[in-house]
Amino acid sequence: MSVSYRVLLEGGQGEYVEKKSRFIATLRKCESEEEAVAFVEEMKKKYWDARHNCHAFIIGSGGELTRCSDDGEPSGTAGRPMLEVLSGAELRNAAVVVTRYFGGVLLGTGGLVRAYTQAVKEGLKNCAVGRMVYGYDVCITTDYLWIGKVLYLLGNLKLEPVSTEYGERIVLELEVGAEKLKTLERELAEITNGQAQFEKKKEIYFVDKEEIQG
């Protein structure tokens, strides 16, 4: 199981021009092969008049499924370099289509690899990217007596409640990374003399708010 991976929170588009050829990269979050294929077809229809619509995508938290296509460009000059950019950025559940409008000048294999690679990088600059972290949905129930210390502990661990319910006792719902779980449980027991209830509810992946980019 992957401890963490990066995802597109918002897709984006970027453009690169090489010897009058335009390379337009469009990136989108896709959580299944079906979504990715539908996205590729959508881009092909939108840019029906382009010479090439090359694509690449990585699906699954561990990158279990990868696909790429040169769409008529010389083998290995488009799809594979595009896929390598996604992989190098640790992106998962992401797809990219690079549309090429031919400028009349042949670029050669090296020039094509460079252009398709740069186009994807330009597109990524205009995307919002976040890191998905493996952890747990946690519930903390505490008396009002301890809430100040509990919130101070959460602040030190850079944890922010997803929700807070005030009743006879205070119930805090949190998303906690696996690496912080034991520390939180141990220190919570220490500061509340074991009076706070700690419940690990289920395994989850969640967006690490400290690592959102774009």
Side-chain angles (χ1 to χ4, degrees):
M1 179 179 290
S2 298
V3 175
S4 69
Y5 57 93
R6 300 174 79 215
V7 295
L8 298 176
L9 301 177
E10 291 182 18
Q13 192 172 76
E15 185 172 327
Y16 180 73
V17 178
E18 179 72 19
K19 295 180 180 178
K20 298 183 180 179
S21 278
R22 291 177 63 207
F23 296 83
I24 305 168
T26 307
L27 294 101
R28 184 177 297 177
K29 181 178 180 179
C30 296
E31 298 188 338
S32 68
E33 183 176 11
E34 291 75 18
E35 280 188 43
V37 170
F39 165 59
V40 173
E41 291 305 311
E42 178 188 331
M43 292 298 100
K44 285 184 175 181
K45 289 179 181 178
K46 180 178 180 179
Y47 296 108
W48 60 270
D49 57 338
R51 177 72 67 90
H52 305 281
N53 282 288
C54 307
H55 72 264
F57 56 83
I58 300 179
I59 305 297
S61 60
E64 295 86 355
L65 176 67
T66 61
R67 295 283 187 274
C68 63
S69 169
D70 297 310
D71 193 35
E73 293 281 31
S75 179
T77 62
R80 177 59 57 181
M82 292 162 57
L83 186 62
E84 288 176 355
V85 176
L86 297 183
S87 179
E90 299 180 58
L91 281 170
R92 302 292 183 266
N93 296 334
V96 59
V97 174
V98 174
T99 301
R100 182 189 183 188
Y101 285 95
F102 185 54
V105 179
L106 296 175
L107 302 183
T109 56
L112 288 171
V113 169
R114 185 167 55 252
Y116 279 100
T117 297
Q118 191 60 39
V120 179
K121 290 180 178 180
E122 291 299 320
L124 276 173
K125 291 178 182 178
N126 298 314
C127 295
V129 178
R131 183 173 291 279
M132 298 295 287
V133 176
Y134 168 69
Y136 296 86
D137 183 8
V138 170
C139 178
I140 294 174
T141 304
T142 180
D143 293 324
Y144 284 81
L145 174 65
W146 307 110
I147 188 60
K149 288 186 176 181
V150 171
L151 292 177
Y152 183 77
L153 170 61
L154 296 182
N156 282 344
L157 294 175
K158 296 183 179 180
L159 295 172
E160 185 176 336
V162 174
S163 68
T164 305
E165 181 181 332
Y166 294 91
E168 290 187 10
R169 304 185 80 196
I170 302 173
V171 181
L172 306 169
E173 294 278 351
L174 302 103
E175 296 170 331
V176 183
E179 78 285 353
K180 294 182 180 179
L181 191 72
K182 289 184 178 180
T183 300
L184 172 61
E185 186 174 12
R186 183 185 68 251
E187 295 191 10
L188 180 69
E190 289 177 359
I191 65 173
T192 65
N193 295 327
Q195 298 300 304
Q197 179 182 342
F198 180 92
E199 182 184 359
K200 184 174 68 175
K201 299 177 71 174
K202 63 181 179 180
E203 298 177 64
I204 58 171
Y205 275 101
F206 62 95
V207 177
D208 185 344
K209 294 180 180 179
E210 293 181 62
E211 291 205 29
I212 295 177
Q213 301 173 359

